[in-house]
Structures are given as C-alpha cells and as structure tokens.
Amino acid sequence: MTGKELKEKVLANISKVIVGKDEAVTLLLTALLAEGHVLLEDVPGTGKTKAAKALARSMDAAFSRIQFTPDLLPGDITGITMYDQKQGEFVLRKGPAFTNILLADEINRATPRTQAGLLECMEERQITIDGVSYPAGEPFFVIATQNPVETAGTFPLPEAQMDRFMMKLSMGLPTKEEERQIMEKYMKDEPLAALTPVLSVDDLQQAKKEIEDIFVHRCVLEYMVNIVAATREGENVLMGVSPRGTLAFLRCVKAYAYLQGRSFVTPDDIKALAVPVLAHRVVMGYGKAGENKAFLERIVLTTEVPTEDFSA
C-alpha cells in the first residue's frame, strides 16, 4: 500500500463521520506517521473530539480518553502502584496513558502539575511511576484539545509543553453546504458508532519505515533552515523555533510527501506545514501573543523558494 492509498483509505473512512475536513485529517495522519502529537484548538462544537475519535476508530489500535478537569491528578493519567493484600505486594494499576492513541480533552482545564504528567510520555514514550519506567505504547499518539475562547478556570500550556506538540491545528467552521451535509448524515443515526478500522498497527509501522527513505534535497533543507532562522530574528520575537522544532518540521514534511504519493519533498510541502508545525513554538512579545500565525505566514511569503537550476 502506497502512502497516497493509505491516506485515501483513512480519509474515506473518516468522511463517514467528519464532513469537509480532509486537510485537517491529513495533517493529523501526518503527525501520527511522523511520531508527533497534535493540539487541536478551536471553539466548542467544531468536531475536535469527534475527529480524534474517528481517527482512532480507523485504526486497529488501543484508544483512551481523558477529560481534563481542575481536580485531575498526575496519577489519574499515568497510573499508580497500589498495595494488593491478597498478593502481599505493591502492584501497578495502569492509567489511561498506557495506550496507542490518547485523547486529552480540554487539556488546559487541568492544573500545570497535571499537565506536566504528560511531558515524559509525549517526549520519551515512557511512563515513570515510583522510579520504574514503563513503555507507554507503540505507536503512542496524543491528540489534545482546548477552547481558545473561555479563559475562566483554565491554565494556559507553558512554552515547554507547547513545544512537545508537533502541530497545532484548527478544525474551523463548516461552509453552508458542509453544514447541510452534516445534518443529513446525522439525521437518523450516529455514524461514529458504525466506524470500523481500515488500518492496522503493522500498516503504520511499515509506513514509518518507508518514510525514512523519503528524499530531501540539500536546497530544500536550506529552505527549511532559512524559515526556521527567520522565526528567531523578528522584532517582536522573544523566542524562536528550537532545534527540536526543526527536527519535527523535517519529520513532518517527509511524512506529508509520503502521503501525497511522492518519494521526495518539495517546497510546497514546506509551505503547507510551516504554520501548523512552527507557529505555536514562537513566543511573541507583549501585546503580540496572538500574531504567531500571521508572523509565520509572512516568513513563508518572504523567504526565497529554491528552484532547480537548468543552466548546468
């Protein structure tokens, strides 16, 4: 199965539940294959949770959901060791983080201490409980959601945790035609309940191996470096993209090219991914906090695009 066939199979399955969000779903799949995590930020009711569940049900993999609340504790995510009187010893009770796909719903409603409980498993794919480390799952993919409008009772994600997310995406509101299709689709039943897997874990692992061989020309690498460097030079920038962000960018463009059915990366792949992969990693100065996306869009527009030299 080629990368394009894999993408089309997943899109066809998820389209039974989600209408008109093929690009957002493609980016979710890109992050999964690039071994990253995604933060879905949008107003309530745009399909964030449903999209995450639909992607999970499209794969034959373990799925867990955590509803983040102010009273949630780190142990509620990772698990705890408990004393078993019958066995006469402490035993591990695994938390929902021991899974393949983890939906962290409304992540910004939990306290910073609880949010930090995800840092280790997101970065190292392992969970340490009482000094013992356990593998979280393979694959391990976190889809977190948050509402950018409501601020009461929320705790903004710190920069260190934002940097753990490979992409920050928005579902966006549907068009009139898409909304009509949504009403028709949900007129009588719930399509999500009938969704069945179209991919196995082995399919994902095979795709990841094939992505390793995607070719990236030196001039394309330089184009990426120029975009990243520009994020560190803006007048109102306090912190630009880190080397971790650069490597995430590279993994993403290779996975994205694979899903387009190509064996090489083009500048268009970089243009498509620069904002979702890099914008949330930039820290702007006072009064400019909401301008990350516009800042990255200007960088993409003004950075010279490499072209093939036919004169040689």
Side-chain angles (χ1 to χ4, degrees):
M1 180 167 50
T2 66
K4 191 172 184 179
E5 290 171 343
L6 184 150
K7 180 187 72 170
E8 290 174 349
K9 184 180 288 189
V10 173
L11 288 178
N13 201 46
I14 293 180
S15 66
K16 300 173 184 176
V17 177
I18 303 295
V19 176
K21 303 299 177 187
D22 285 1
E23 185 59 25
V25 173
T26 299
L27 292 177
L28 279 172
L29 189 56
T30 299
L32 172 62
L33 292 176
E35 299 187 325
H37 310 285
V38 172
L39 177 63
L40 286 175
E41 183 179 84
D42 218 325
V43 295
T46 53
K48 301 185 296 296
T49 303
K50 197 172 288 291
K53 287 183 175 180
L55 179 62
R57 291 203 177 198
S58 296
M59 293 178 289
D60 186 15
F63 172 73
S64 295
R65 179 184 183 274
I66 305 173
Q67 182 63 53
F68 278 66
T69 56
D71 61 345
L72 193 73
L73 298 175
D76 296 327
I77 299 172
T78 59
I80 57 174
T81 53
M82 301 178 62
Y83 185 74
D84 189 315
Q85 291 184 338
K86 291 183 178 180
Q87 299 184 35
E89 61 182 11
F90 285 92
V91 295
L92 172 66
R93 193 183 81 177
K94 293 183 176 181
F98 285 89
T99 188
N100 296 126
I101 301 178
L102 176 64
L103 172 58
D105 217 359
E106 297 187 282
I107 189 173
N108 59 333
R109 291 200 174 276
T111 62
R113 178 190 175 198
T114 302
Q115 293 173 6
L118 276 176
L119 288 177
E120 180 188 19
C121 49
M122 287 175 67
E123 181 67 17
E124 301 175 37
R125 279 154 172 83
Q126 69 177 24
I127 299 170
T128 301
I129 302 173
D130 292 339
V132 181
S133 296
Y134 307 89
E138 182 56 46
F140 181 69
F141 182 46
V142 175
I143 304 175
T145 71
Q146 69 176 12
N147 173 12
V149 178
E150 293 181 346
T151 57
T154 63
F155 303 87
L157 297 178
E159 283 75 17
Q161 188 149 351
M162 289 293 288
D163 203 41
R164 293 297 201 283
F165 288 101
M166 181 168 277
M167 291 189 198
K168 181 180 177 183
L169 304 177
S170 173
M171 297 297 290
L173 293 171
T175 64
K176 290 182 180 180
E177 175 59 24
E178 289 170 351
E179 199 140 24
R180 183 189 62 79
Q181 292 178 33
I182 291 171
M183 289 191 289
E184 290 177 346
K185 195 178 289 288
Y186 286 83
M187 186 78 73
K188 295 182 180 180
D189 51 23
E190 172 57 69
L192 184 62
L195 215 59
T196 56
V198 295
L199 290 179
S200 66
V201 172
D202 289 340
D203 291 331
L204 291 176
Q205 298 304 96
Q206 181 60 35
K208 289 179 182 180
K209 290 180 181 178
E210 294 174 5
I211 288 170
E212 293 176 1
D213 296 327
I214 297 295
F215 176 71
V216 187
H217 194 277
R218 182 180 178 85
C219 68
V220 175
L221 285 175
E222 291 175 353
Y223 179 45
M224 296 173 66
V225 168
N226 289 339
I227 290 175
V228 170
T231 68
R232 303 166 183 165
E233 300 169 354
E235 181 180 350
N236 298 303
V237 174
L238 298 180
M239 184 176 72
V241 175
S242 67
R244 172 164 45 202
T246 306
L247 292 175
F249 195 19
L250 176 61
R251 296 201 305 273
C252 270
V253 296
K254 291 177 68 175
Y256 189 79
Y258 172 78
L259 291 175
Q260 307 310 310
R262 284 184 272 102
S263 60
F264 56 91
V265 173
T266 70
D268 286 339
D269 298 330
I270 292 159
K271 291 179 181 179
L273 292 172
V275 172
V277 176
L278 304 179
H280 65 284
R281 303 174 191 272
V282 178
V283 180
M284 305 294 286
Y286 180 76
K288 303 289 184 179
E291 298 184 7
N292 303 52
K293 182 178 178 181
F295 176 61
L296 255 297
E297 287 172 345
R298 287 197 299 271
I299 289 175
V300 173
L301 283 174
T302 56
T303 302
E304 184 179 357
V305 181
T307 56
E308 189 169 358
D309 185 6
F310 292 99
S311 61

